[in-house]
Amino acid sequence: MTKAKWSTVALWGVYVALLLVLLPHTAWAFSLFEPKTTFGQVVGWFAAVSFEFAILVLTHKLARHLETVPNRGDAKRKFQRRYLNAYAAGLAVAISVSAFANVAHAVEFGGKMAIFAGWPWGFVVYVAAFGGILPLTSLLFARVLSNVADTEQETDPEVLDLRAKLKEAKETLTEAGRKVQEIERRAQKAETELAITGRLFTGDKRDRIVAALETWPALPSSAVAIITRSSASYVSEVVNGNGHERVQVQEAQE
């Protein structure tokens, strides 16, 4: 498992532990509205587990949603795309219930602390820090666990799509370049062959015979005579008496 995955697992572990810390406080708050019986206590715990588990699931859903939202536009539009959705709304409701339960527990059982003595707002800060602030960290965990990139290029689907199209275009151009080179090679070969073949139809009879011999070295003299519209004796004269062209052609090919 990679370092990044280990850190994600560790964060989820911390988050679950935080919800487990909040669970008894939430169960206590729900049990106040139930009969003072064992059944009432069980109902209170079931309600608390339902809300804390809902916070866990909705945090996960919101984190996955944040990963898919394009990171472009101004701050207002980013906030709207990220948090104005059903996941965030459900998480806000569950957090509110848990927050009220934990604040009530802190007020009910909170004792005096020397650090806040003589400070008029000390108890309010104390209750917020040890009661209401804990459930509100769910939004922070959702943001951290979402792995949202800070740059637009890494998160914008349009940019990613353009990158994919650009890569495809480069591959297409490379393949087209190879095809052009192959066409040019074939064109040069065809041009050379055409030049040789064209000599078969020139007015110079001797040149026609030489071109035929270069094109078909193993062709009999009688066939060369027919192709070049010459007499067999003249073909023999060109082959045997004027430069030995056939021998030269065969040696060049060997």
Side-chain angles (χ1 to χ4, degrees), residues 44-62:
W45 272 94
F46 267 111
V49 169
S50 299
F51 272 87
E52 299 301 338
F53 188 73
I55 292 176
L56 177 64
V57 173
L58 289 171
T59 300
H60 177 267
K61 288 291 187 179
L62 181 59

Side-chain angles (χ1 to χ4, degrees), residues 4-253:
K5 290 184 178 180
W6 272 115
S7 63
T8 301
V9 171
L11 284 172
W12 276 111
V14 171
Y15 188 56
V16 172
L18 173 63
L19 295 180
L20 290 176
V21 171
L22 302 178
L23 182 61
H25 302 167
T26 309
W28 166 82
F30 277 112
S31 65
L32 295 178
F33 300 94
E34 299 296 332
K36 304 303 179 182
T37 62
T38 302
F39 178 76
Q41 297 296 316
V42 171
V43 172
W45 272 94
F46 267 111
V49 169
S50 299
F51 272 87
E52 299 301 338
F53 188 73
I55 292 176
L56 177 64
V57 173
L58 289 171
T59 300
H60 177 267
K61 288 291 187 179
L62 181 59
R64 299 288 80 80
H65 168 74
L66 293 177
E67 290 180 348
T68 62
V69 174
N71 188 23
R72 64 176 185 273
D74 54 22
K76 182 179 179 181
R77 292 194 61 187
K78 289 180 181 179
F79 178 83
Q80 291 175 345
R81 287 194 296 263
R82 290 177 179 176
Y83 299 107
L84 296 186
N85 53 73
Y87 302 134
L91 183 60
V93 172
I95 284 175
S96 299
V97 173
S98 182
F100 278 120
N102 282 271
V103 169
H105 187 276
V107 173
E108 185 77 16
F109 298 100
K112 294 181 179 181
M113 298 182 69
I115 190 174
F116 297 119
W119 187 18
W121 292 95
F123 186 72
V124 176
V125 175
Y126 165 72
V127 170
F130 294 94
I133 199 65
L134 294 179
L136 297 179
T137 55
S138 296
L139 287 177
L140 178 61
F141 269 90
R143 179 65 176 82
V144 172
L145 292 168
S146 66
N147 297 322
V148 176
D150 293 329
T151 60
E152 179 177 338
Q153 292 182 344
E154 295 177 350
T155 57
D156 192 343
E158 294 181 2
V159 175
L160 296 178
D161 184 58
L162 288 175
R163 285 182 175 178
K165 291 181 178 179
L166 180 60
K167 181 180 179 181
E168 183 179 354
K170 288 182 178 178
E171 293 176 352
T172 303
L173 288 175
T174 302
E175 181 65 21
R178 287 196 292 265
K179 291 182 178 180
V180 169
Q181 291 178 352
E182 178 64 18
I183 292 174
E184 291 179 348
R185 185 186 66 80
R186 293 182 179 180
Q188 291 177 353
K189 181 179 179 182
E191 184 179 355
T192 302
E193 293 177 352
L194 183 61
I196 295 175
T197 305
R199 293 169 56 194
L200 296 173
F201 303 96
T202 61
D204 189 348
K205 188 180 297 185
R206 182 179 182 283
D207 195 30
R208 293 202 302 268
I209 295 173
V210 172
L213 295 175
E214 290 177 353
T215 306
W216 304 289
L219 199 66
S221 299
S222 57
V224 173
I226 296 174
I227 293 173
T228 59
R229 301 184 303 279
S230 306
S231 63
S233 60
Y234 186 70
V235 171
S236 299
E237 180 182 349
V238 171
V239 172
N240 300 318
N242 296 319
H244 307 284
E245 282 83 354
R246 182 186 294 271
V247 176
Q248 293 176 355
V249 170
Q250 291 177 343
E251 290 179 350
Q253 288 184 344

